[in-house]
Amino acid sequence: GDQDKLRAATQSMQLSKGKERELADLVDTTLSQISSLKEKIGKQAYDQSSAVYADSRMYMLLLIIGGVGVGIALGIIISRNITKPLGAAVDAANRLAEGDLTTKLEATSKDEVGQLVAAFSNMVKKISTVVEDVTTSSDNVASGSQQLSSTSEQLSQGSTEQASAAEEASSSMEEMASNIKQNADNAH
């Protein structure tokens, strides 16, 4: 009996160790599979994040290049919106300096440059008005001067005619006086 019990206990232990070993092997295999799976998932996540990083970097570079391009384009547009009206104002000032009072400027914007062009346009209009007024006044003075000269000539001609008539009258009176004297002498 005791030996049987011992044998049975040994067999039971060996069976139990075999089952434990199988369970341990199963756990080891399962843990290895889980570890491999985790490693595989980690590699996939790394590959995905590397791809996202590369894409993000490309998009950022494109956005930066696009932003710089838009900035340059806006700079050119703004520069032209400033220099074009100022150039027109400079041209108008040069034409005005050369005596062209028909110079016209139109303000196309309401910003500071547009206000400057509008003010310059008003100045050109005022100068044109002043020059027209001076020209009109000058023409009026010239016309008045001509009228005064003409009146002076008429007065001079009238004086000459009166002097001539007075001379004729004086000559006629002398002639009459001479005739009267002669008649008186003949009557005596």
Side-chain angles (χ1 to χ4, degrees), residues 10-79:
T10 304
Q11 280 180 352
S12 174
M13 245 170 92
Q14 285 177 347
L15 271 178
S16 139
K17 278 187 182 180
K19 284 185 183 180
E20 284 177 13
R21 183 164 297 261
E22 283 179 25
L23 283 175
D25 286 343
L26 182 63
V27 168
D28 271 351
T29 304
T30 304
L31 287 176
S32 290
Q33 288 174 349
I34 289 173
S35 179
S36 283
L37 186 61
K38 281 177 67 176
E39 195 175 301
K40 192 177 186 182
I41 290 172
K43 182 158 177 20
Q44 285 176 349
Y46 173 77
D47 291 344
Q48 274 184 332
S49 66
S50 292
V52 168
Y53 170 75
D55 289 347
S56 297
R57 187 177 62 199
M58 180 60 80
Y59 291 137
M60 290 303 290
L61 286 174
L62 289 175
L63 284 174
I64 290 170
I65 291 170
V68 168
V70 167
I72 290 171
L74 285 175
I76 290 170
I77 290 169
I78 290 169
S79 174

Side-chain angles (χ1 to χ4, degrees), residues 5 8 16 65 105-106 114 131-132 136-138 158-159 164 167 183:
K5 278 188 183 183
S16 139
I65 291 170
L105 278 175
E106 289 185 32
V131 169
E132 285 174 12
T136 301
S137 296
S138 167
S159 295
S164 175
E167 221 176 282
N183 285 339

Side-chain angles (χ1 to χ4, degrees), residues 85-130:
L86 288 179
V90 167
D91 288 344
N94 287 331
R95 287 194 310 260
L96 186 63
E98 292 169 0
D100 181 6
L101 297 177
T102 61
T103 301
K104 301 258 189 245
L105 278 175
E106 289 185 32
T108 56
S109 64
K110 295 188 190 239
D111 60 0
E112 291 81 4
V113 174
Q115 291 171 355
L116 175 66
V117 170
F120 189 79
S121 178
N122 287 338
M123 180 184 73
V124 169
K125 287 177 189 172
K126 292 290 184 185
I127 289 173
S128 293
T129 302
V130 167

